[in-house]
Structure formats: structure tokens, C-alpha cells
Amino acid sequence: MLVLDGNMLRQFLSASESGERLRARVDASGDDASLTVVTIEESMRGWLAELNRRSINPHGQIEVYRRMHTSVEVFAKWTVLAWDVESSIYF
């Protein structure tokens, strides 16, 4: 199982060269990609902050919503690891 943190998730979702390399590594590994619920929470905070900054111009939010939508679709395909007592102790 591969667990991506917030930085890796941003790379994975980007159209950058590093994002392409990471996607290729994940695909080649044959392992399931996963995220923690904490990573999803951090990602959502970022999206909401960006949307709030652009609230004056709703048209300026279109691209942000598109990218957020892509993120949510990725989240839905991957295993999401819980934050529970065992996780908090290990952390």
C-alpha cells in the first residue's frame, strides 16, 4: 500500500513533470494508492481558502472548483485511512 501525503498528492494531481513521474511510479508499483483522512482535510482547507479569496469574482472560482472536483474524484477511487486512537498513538 502506498500512502501519499499532502505534498505527494499535489504532485500527483498536477500536470507537471514530477506529477507525471509520480503517477507512473504509482501505476508501476501495482500497489493500491491511499490517503489519510488528515491529508483530505488539509486539501479541503486549501481549496476552501482559495475559493474564499476568489469570492468577489465567481468566474475566478471556476478553475478552482474544476481542480477541486478532480481531487474529489481521486479521493473516491483510493483507500482513505482513518485517524483513530491507534493512528494518534503512532503519530
Side-chain angles (χ1 to χ4, degrees):
M1 174 186 298
L2 301 173
V3 181
L4 274 64
D5 67 8
N7 292 330
M8 293 173 73
L9 176 63
R10 277 188 293 286
Q11 281 185 358
F12 187 91
L13 294 171
S14 78
S16 69
E17 186 177 320
S18 63
E20 290 177 20
R21 282 195 312 270
L22 180 57
R23 284 189 297 279
R25 286 180 59 197
V26 169
D27 290 343
S29 75
D31 289 330
D32 290 331
S34 61
L35 302 165
T36 67
V37 71
V38 174
T39 298
I40 293 173
E41 180 263 338
E42 291 169 346
S43 178
M44 289 295 102
R45 274 184 198 252
W47 291 122
L48 294 173
E50 184 63 24
L51 289 166
N52 187 50
R53 281 191 291 278
R54 297 176 184 224
S55 64
I56 295 171
N57 175 10
H59 293 286
Q61 295 177 321
I62 292 170
E63 179 61 17
V64 179
Y65 272 117
R66 185 196 64 74
R67 292 183 1 244
M68 185 173 82
H69 186 183
T70 299
S71 294
V72 170
E73 287 177 330
V74 169
F75 300 161
K77 293 176 185 174
W78 290 1
T79 299
V80 177
L81 304 174
W83 180 258
D84 53 20
V85 172
E86 185 178 343
S87 301
S88 67
I89 291 169
Y90 184 76
F91 180 74

